Amino acid sequence: MQSSPKSVTIPRALFVISLLYGGLVVLAGVLGTKLASLGHWPVLGDLAVESGIFAFLMLVVMSSAVAELYGQATANRLVRFGFIPLIVSMTLLSLVIHVVPPAPFWGDQEAFARLLGQGARMQFAGLCSYGISQTLNVYLFSKLAGGRGKLLIVRAWIASLLSQVVDTVIFITLSFWGTVDASGQPMPIGAIMEGQIISKLVLSTIMVPPFIYLFVRLGRRLDATR
């Protein structure tokens, strides 16, 4: 007789966070096609950032929450599994844009390709910056203040700030190093980095502290529910 498959028990909160994490990995790339204004700030001036940062900061929060609830190793596995929906979505978008022909009566192919199509170089940059910055975030969050249970909000905030700086440096460098702008001048990588880093640090300060608290509290409540 064939034995029945062994059931695997996954904590309820980890299951829910993993589903949301996979969806936001894909959504971050889609949202990134829009540049959002963060308004005018004293001293800092006008701030703008690609809209994918809203989803990406949620990924930062969720990986930190998983590290808090289940440990650094589990959070690192979540980050690595995040490559799967990211690569699949990139592949499907490339196929739909470059291989699958549009319907004869559909006239938005050019706009669709312009908004959602990324070159191989930017896709590679996105994969590198995602993997390195998210892994760094989990590492810093787990190591600060001796690990779980201490200074939750402060650890999440500091880890987010540092990982966002690294993410920006990697992505901008790999995407634009050696390229030129519309006028034929070298792409101003330093200026692009400066604006993006300042904007991301502001958003990290606003978003990460309350959301890490909510996710950890929600996770504990879900796991306590039978």
Side-chain angles (χ1 to χ4, degrees), residues 8 79 117 161 211:
V8 177
V79 171
L161 294 181
F211 276 107

Side-chain angles (χ1 to χ4, degrees), residues 136-208:
L136 177 64
N137 174 74
V138 170
Y139 173 81
L140 292 173
F141 175 82
S142 300
K143 296 303 180 184
L144 286 171
R148 286 182 279 177
K150 300 178 181 179
L151 302 175
L152 171 66
I153 291 176
V154 175
R155 284 187 290 132
W157 176 61
I158 294 175
S160 172
L161 294 181
L162 295 177
S163 64
Q164 286 307 295
V165 172
V166 171
D167 173 81
T168 302
V169 170
I170 293 174
F171 182 79
I172 298 299
T173 301
L174 293 180
S175 295
F176 301 113
W177 184 268
T179 62
V180 296
D181 60 20
S183 64
Q185 298 298 314
M187 192 69 71
I189 292 179
I192 297 174
M193 284 186 187
E194 181 182 2
Q196 288 288 299
I197 288 174
I198 292 174
S199 299
K200 289 181 178 180
L201 295 186
V202 169
L203 280 177
S204 292
T205 301
I206 294 172
M207 290 180 60
V208 171

Side-chain angles (χ1 to χ4, degrees), residues 21 56 59-60 63 79 129-138:
Y21 189 95
F56 198 84
L59 298 178
V60 169
S63 62
V79 171
S129 60
Y130 161 78
I132 295 173
S133 65
Q134 284 287 81
T135 302
L136 177 64
N137 174 74
V138 170

Side-chain angles (χ1 to χ4, degrees), residues 9 11 23 31-33 36 68 85-86 91-92 107 116 120-121 141 171 180 185 189 195 199 206 215 219 223 225:
T9 302
L31 292 178
T33 59
E68 179 72 12
L86 187 57
T91 302
L92 287 177
L116 297 180
R121 180 170 176 173
F141 175 82
F171 182 79
V180 296
Q185 298 298 314
I189 292 179
S199 299
I206 294 172
F215 266 90
D223 285 347
T225 303

Side-chain angles (χ1 to χ4, degrees), residues 34-75:
K34 176 181 177 178
L35 288 177
S37 171
L38 300 183
H40 183 83
W41 293 69
V43 181
L44 299 179
D46 294 317
L47 295 182
V49 68
E50 47 90 14
S51 298
I53 186 59
F54 296 106
F56 198 84
L57 283 178
M58 295 302 293
L59 298 178
V60 169
V61 168
M62 285 185 283
S63 62
S64 297
V66 169
E68 179 72 12
L69 295 169
Y70 309 108
Q72 183 180 351
T74 301

